[in-house]
């Protein structure tokens, strides 16, 4: 697991309220795995205007430890005093080359599957903005900016319950599609997947090969229990792909998805680890 750094820039506006935060801060902090690296009220300003009262830099061994502190009931209780007694800009920074998930590399016979980056935005824009691609998808981007936002929002929190993480599918060095993993409970034991292949590269077995590679990784490496996929009942390509891999049709949720103001049906497929026929050793 990788270290993360909590950086807070704080401009105190009400010292009484802020003091209420400080009164309990150290006691709560002493129970977590964080380490203060710096607390400075008069840093050396190199560029721009520093408009704060102090900067605080805290290191945590990993994002889980950070969350145990930040989202604890005790800290959330005093956080309200910090936020009402000061204007705060806070960020969580991941150690270089250590962002969770950025080391995943899945190789199949013809493909390399790895996290997408902003450098892939243009390639993704080219196929993700085609109507035939987004017809059955909730994400219907219109601009490069939307694709860039999507990439930023879907490349953190790998293997964290509740998060979607997006991987790119590459043939040689050309991006030919992408595949997302939604980490879900209970106890982060299941995943939902969603896949897209550039129209030029469809019907060549790349969709199937990508799903086999990713599902193998999820069952074998991450030891997941069950993988699901949600598809529009009219999406014959997606249904054919899932059924060709042995995914079981588990249910049709009538008019359960609100897409562009219309209630759409949602067909759910799933497979259990013990049912998966493409296991690799
Ligand atoms: C769904 C999608 C990823 C399939 O990718 P693909 O690379 O064309 O699929 P593959 O070539 O690996 O084919 C997998 C299986 O599906 C079948 N298949 C693929 N497209 C099909 C189609 N349009 N109609 C019927 N069967 C189809 C193939 O024959 C193959 O079956 P087989 O192994 O039994 O021969 C692709 O059509 C796509 O990107 N669609 C748009 C995005 C989308 O809707 N994603 C799904 C969201 S739930």
């Amino acid at each position: 697991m990788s270290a993360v750094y909590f950086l807070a820039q704080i401009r105190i506006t009400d010292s009484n309220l802020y003091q209420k935060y400080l009164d309990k801060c150290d006691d709560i902090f002493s129970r977590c795995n964080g380490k203060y690296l710096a607390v400075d009220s008069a840093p050396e300003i190199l560029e721009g205007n520093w408009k704060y009262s102090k900067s605080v830099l805290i290191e945590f061994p990993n994002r889980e430890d950070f969350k145990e502190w930040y989202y604890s009931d005790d800290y959330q209780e005093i956080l309200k005093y910090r936020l009402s007694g000061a204007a705060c800009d806070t960020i969580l920074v991941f150690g270089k080359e250590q962002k969770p998930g950025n080391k995943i590399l899945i190789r199949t016979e013809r493909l390399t599957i790895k996290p997408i980056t902003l450098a892939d935005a243009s390639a993704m824009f080219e196929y993700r903005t085609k109507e035939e691609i987004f017809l059955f998808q909730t994400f219907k981007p219109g601009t490069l900016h939307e694709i860039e936002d999507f990439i930023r929002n879907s490349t953190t929190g790998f293997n964290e319950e509740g998060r979607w993480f997006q991987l790119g599918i590459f043939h040689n060095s050309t991006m030919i599609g992408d595949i997302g993993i939604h980490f879900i409970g209970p106890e982060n034991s299941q995943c939902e997947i969603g896949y897209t292949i550039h129209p030029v590269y469809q019907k060549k077995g790349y969709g199937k090969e990508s799903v086999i590679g990713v599902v193998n990784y999820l069952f074998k490496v991450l030891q997941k229990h069950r993988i699901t996929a949600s598809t529009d009942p009219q999406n014959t390509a997606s249904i054919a792909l899932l059924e060709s891999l042995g995914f079981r049709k588990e249910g049709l949720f009538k008019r359960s998805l609100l897409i562009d103001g219309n209630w759409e049906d949602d067909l759910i497929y799933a497979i259990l680890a013990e049912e998966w026929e493409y296991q690799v050793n």
Side-chain angles (χ1 to χ4, degrees):
M1 281 294 232
S2 54
V4 297
Y5 301 87
F6 174 77
L7 174 62
Q9 306 274 45
I10 299 162
R11 182 163 50 84
I12 298 166
T13 51
D14 182 328
S15 49
N16 288 334
L17 275 174
Y18 192 76
Q19 189 57 45
K20 283 190 166 191
Y21 168 78
L22 290 182
D23 287 347
K24 295 199 171 157
C25 181
D26 284 350
D27 179 39
I28 295 168
F29 190 76
S30 67
R31 288 181 250 138
C32 77
N33 288 330
K35 184 168 98 184
Y36 278 102
L37 295 185
V39 178
D40 198 341
S41 304
E44 184 178 329
I45 299 164
L46 302 176
E47 294 162 13
N49 298 313
W50 189 71
K51 50 188 187 312
Y52 302 97
S53 313
K54 67 176 180 179
S55 286
V56 178
L57 180 63
I58 304 173
E59 181 185 59
F60 290 88
N62 55 59
R63 196 167 193 255
E64 291 310 309
D65 283 329
F66 160 77
K67 282 168 64 181
E68 271 188 32
W69 166 68
Y70 187 83
Y71 294 107
S72 67
D73 291 345
D74 285 351
Y75 188 71
Q76 288 292 312
E77 184 58 31
I78 63 166
L79 176 59
K80 62 186 182 208
Y81 295 122
R82 171 158 71 74
L83 294 179
S84 48
C88 304
D89 290 328
T90 60
I91 53 174
L92 189 67
V93 181
F94 291 88
K96 195 170 185 305
E97 296 304 320
Q98 295 177 335
K99 214 166 180 176
N102 73 353
K103 289 193 178 136
I104 311 163
L105 185 65
I106 299 169
R107 287 192 200 281
T108 64
E109 195 184 332
R110 297 174 294 173
L111 305 170
T112 301
I113 301 169
K114 59 186 181 180
I116 44 171
T117 68
L118 285 174
D120 303 318
S122 304
M124 203 173 173
F125 178 82
E126 195 195 310
Y127 63 88
R128 277 288 195 149
T129 48
K130 292 186 189 303
E131 194 182 347
E132 61 192 292
I133 285 293
F134 64 59
L135 186 63
F136 297 120
Q137 311 220 49
T138 44
F139 180 47
K140 301 179 192 299
T143 64
L144 187 61
H145 185 66
E146 284 175 74
I147 296 275
E148 288 169 346
D149 272 353
F150 174 82
I151 293 175
R152 279 191 203 95
N153 293 331
S154 59
T155 47
T156 61
F158 181 77
N159 202 11
E160 276 182 26
E161 193 170 325
R163 300 283 305 174
W164 269 103
F165 194 94
Q166 209 71 18
L167 302 167
I169 302 167
F170 298 84
H171 181 251
N172 298 325
S173 48
T174 303
M175 187 180 193
I176 65 157
D178 58 88
I179 181 161
I181 307 169
H182 186 196
F183 295 96
I184 48 182
E187 295 187 358
N188 199 17
S189 57
Q190 308 192 38
C191 293
E192 176 189 353
I193 53 168
Y195 33 77
T196 302
I197 298 289
H198 190 307
V200 168
Y201 297 94
Q202 286 182 9
K203 294 196 176 167
K204 296 178 176 13
Y206 290 131
K208 194 165 171 173
E209 193 170 320
S210 314
V211 173
I212 290 175
V214 168
V215 172
N216 266 332
Y217 179 87
L218 295 175
F219 281 146
K220 174 93 180 151
V221 180
L222 298 188
Q223 304 276 301
K224 298 297 178 186
H225 160 68
R226 178 173 173 263
I227 312 293
T228 65
S230 142
T231 184
D232 186 295
Q234 294 179 58
N235 193 344
T236 45
S238 178
I239 291 170
L241 189 161
L242 291 167
E243 292 189 347
S244 76
L245 288 172
F247 275 72
R248 181 185 40 254
K249 192 196 293 183
E250 293 206 328
L252 174 67
F253 292 80
K254 293 294 287 180
R255 305 189 69 222
S256 57
L257 290 180
L258 187 59
I259 302 177
D260 290 343
N262 298 316
W263 285 106
E264 305 287 356
D265 293 351
D266 188 22
L267 192 55
I268 302 295
Y269 278 82
I271 195 156
L272 300 169
E274 58 267 32
E275 296 170 329
W276 181 242
E277 290 175 14
Y278 297 83
Q279 290 281 6
V280 286
N281 293 314

